[in-house]
Amino acid sequence: MTVSNTSKRRQPSLAQLRAFSAVAEHLHFRDAAAAIGMSQPALSGAVAALEDTLGVTLLERTTRKVLLSPAGERLAVRARAVLDEVGALLAEAEAVRAPFTGALRLGVIPTVAPYLLPTVLRLVHDRYPDLDLQVHEEQTANLLEGLTTGRLDLLLLAVPLGVPGVVELPLFDEDFVLVTPLDHPLGGRTGIPREALRELNLLLLDEGHCLRDQALDICREAGRADAPVTTTAAGLATLVQLVAGGLGVTLLPRTAVRVETTRSDQLLTGYFTEPAPTRRIALAMRTGAARRAEYQELAAALREALRPLPVRVLGTGN
């Protein structure tokens, strides 16, 4: 029997690939070691062993920093792909063994988390008691990065995303309402035309929040060309307090109204003429996710659990 040179060659271990991938990401041995829970000497030794196994220099080490060599740049991509595939293999095995067990890393945007998580957590506690739900609240761009790199398993956020390799499982649509100070002429009104947004001093969230982008889109649809931003806030709670203080008005999704407007008695809520401006909330998963069937079942269960909220629950075909 003839044995090829390839089969004789030593194979890198997963520990070596994991160590090298961490250094390639952080370009710092201490930070890389902390990120994967390995001691710095062990990490350095694993990378050196990988270089010996592959017969190439992966890193350029100086007293100040670590750089990837040209070979390291190319092989870091391969190493990350191998580790991702191993992670997918383990997830597939776990899903086959027992659905709705093990860890589920759920990413949620800040303008959804405080208002939907009570329902999500209650559903998981009651229906999936063996599921280890781990919640991460981040802005949309960070969540998508986490999903595509495998750091997160499932997202709960506003759509459409339009991102290749990501499947959206729509849950519901909800209207936006206008929150104003007590003395505002539109305070408490119904049938507010969208065109009213052309002249309002509208307060928005900081850049990076998808709700800010949605509000700006609504203003553009109403015929407002300029960006109505003089004051911004990091969260909806602060935004509403700025409105209560008379600095302007803001748009809130209906699911946030009960929580946020009860923080002050200086607020009124106005409602737009139908069709009101809306946003859509969905779960999002990777195309070909190992636990696809579980996520679809979870989406269906969530739709039922969310029906008491002031939203329009969607079917799977929406």
Side-chain angles (χ1 to χ4, degrees), residues 241-317:
Q241 292 306 311
L242 295 175
V243 173
L247 295 187
V249 303
T250 196
L251 295 170
L252 278 189
R254 284 288 302 273
T255 51
V257 170
R258 183 180 62 82
V259 172
E260 299 302 344
T261 59
T262 55
R263 299 178 190 272
S264 172
D265 59 1
Q266 301 299 306
L267 298 167
L268 289 174
T269 302
Y271 298 87
F272 290 95
T273 302
E274 295 293 338
T278 64
R279 72 171 180 175
R280 175 163 293 186
I281 301 300
L283 291 176
M285 63 181 177
R286 289 182 296 277
T287 301
R291 304 170 73 176
R292 181 188 184 97
E294 289 179 59
Y295 300 157
Q296 290 173 328
E297 181 181 332
L298 178 61
L302 261 179
R303 293 186 192 103
E304 293 305 311
L306 293 167
R307 289 191 183 279
L309 299 183
V311 300
R312 293 182 297 281
V313 173
L314 300 170
T316 56

Side-chain angles (χ1 to χ4, degrees), residues 146-175:
L147 185 69
T148 55
T149 60
R151 177 172 60 85
L152 299 173
D153 302 311
L154 192 64
L155 308 182
L156 179 58
L157 73 179
V159 297
L161 299 168
V163 177
V166 176
V167 176
E168 299 169 10
L169 305 173
L171 299 175
F172 63 84
D173 290 338
E174 64 175 328
D175 293 342

